[in-house]
Amino acid sequence: MCVSRVPVFAALAPDDQAKVAGLARPVRLAAGAVAYSPADAEPQLVVVHTGHLRVSRLSPDGTEHLTRVLSPGDFTGEAAVFSAGPPTDTGRAMDDCRLCVFHHDDLAAFVGDHPDLALRMLAAVTTRLTETEDRLHALASRGVEARLAHYLLGLPGQWHGAVVSVSLPLPKRDVAALLDTTPESLSRALRELSAAGALTVGHGRSVTIDRPDLLQQVADGP
């Protein structure tokens, strides 16, 4: 069940997980298809079972801003369970996706019978807000190199002695969008960090962090 992969549902008893799963509407999307958008009237909770979902918002001038990329087990729309409002962003499949979609009314009724679940979902919303505030602070106070260093250090990696290998989960243009910079500035920051001995850019999306301590210093800033 996809619900067992979501932290707020994983703590439920197996019987309750089965009840939640019974509320889910399975959805399959091809790459590029829209999962939800501000045009949707009904709020819903979307859980990614397989694939990746690109979450973005449009600025008043029509520019698209990438805000998050959801991987298997990630979810979005939890605020709708409390507010019952329509989505404010757009979710689009980056590859072939399988989703579990919960309508607000169905999930709200279940949450009403399980107040501990409501608390966990509220904690998830709070965590998301904290992450957003941290990101805004980083964008306002750090340069591109520092933001990139912080991003790379947060990726899962494989340690080989004192070095760690990571793989960018997104194309560089999308990583640049997440870091609120341009692909050209991102490439320049990678070259400068490489020249400083902090990392080595490999083939494709692979990056070897040769000096995690140095990269941490860059992430922390002056």
Side-chain angles (χ1 to χ4, degrees):
M1 295 183 297
C2 69
V3 297
S4 65
R5 309 180 69 172
V6 181
V8 294
F9 295 141
L12 292 173
D15 288 348
D16 287 333
Q17 284 191 9
K19 292 177 183 177
V20 174
L23 301 175
R25 176 171 58 92
V27 174
R28 291 177 179 268
L29 293 179
V34 174
Y36 64 89
S37 76
D40 297 337
E42 184 176 2
Q44 55 191 9
L45 177 76
V46 177
V47 179
V48 179
H49 193 189
T50 62
H52 299 83
L53 205 64
R54 172 192 178 99
V55 179
S56 63
R57 290 193 180 191
L58 287 179
S59 64
D61 65 0
T63 303
E64 181 188 31
H65 294 280
L66 178 65
T67 58
R68 298 175 61 207
V69 173
L70 305 183
S71 300
D74 291 336
F75 56 96
T76 185
E78 67 277 8
V81 177
F82 300 102
S83 68
T88 57
D89 47 29
T90 298
R92 188 183 300 273
M94 297 183 65
D95 43 25
D96 291 346
C97 291
R98 293 169 58 200
L99 310 175
C100 295
V101 179
F102 300 85
H103 290 301
H104 167 263
D105 291 344
D106 294 335
L107 192 57
F110 184 86
V111 169
D113 294 332
H114 297 76
D116 57 328
L117 178 58
L119 290 174
R120 287 197 294 273
M121 296 187 74
L122 185 59
V125 174
T126 302
T127 299
R128 190 77 46 78
L129 289 174
T130 301
E131 291 173 349
T132 300
E133 290 176 351
D134 290 344
R135 182 182 176 196
L136 289 174
H137 174 72
L139 292 176
S141 61
R142 297 176 180 172
V144 176
E145 286 187 36
R147 300 201 298 269
L148 174 60
H150 185 267
Y151 176 78
L152 292 174
L153 289 169
L155 294 177
Q158 296 290 328
W159 284 88
H160 308 281
V163 304
V164 58
S165 298
V166 300
S167 179
L168 297 178
L170 305 168
K172 290 180 180 177
R173 66 177 183 276
D174 289 331
V175 174
L178 277 176
L179 300 180
D180 197 32
T181 188
T182 64
E184 294 76 15
S185 294
L186 177 69
S187 295
R188 184 164 55 250
L190 283 169
R191 290 195 300 269
E192 291 174 352
L193 290 173
S194 178
L199 56 80
T200 300
V201 179
H203 296 291
R205 301 182 186 178
S206 64
V207 176
T208 300
I209 302 176
D210 302 304
R211 290 279 308 278
D213 58 332
L214 179 56
L215 200 62
Q216 186 65 61
Q217 291 177 21
V218 175
D220 291 340

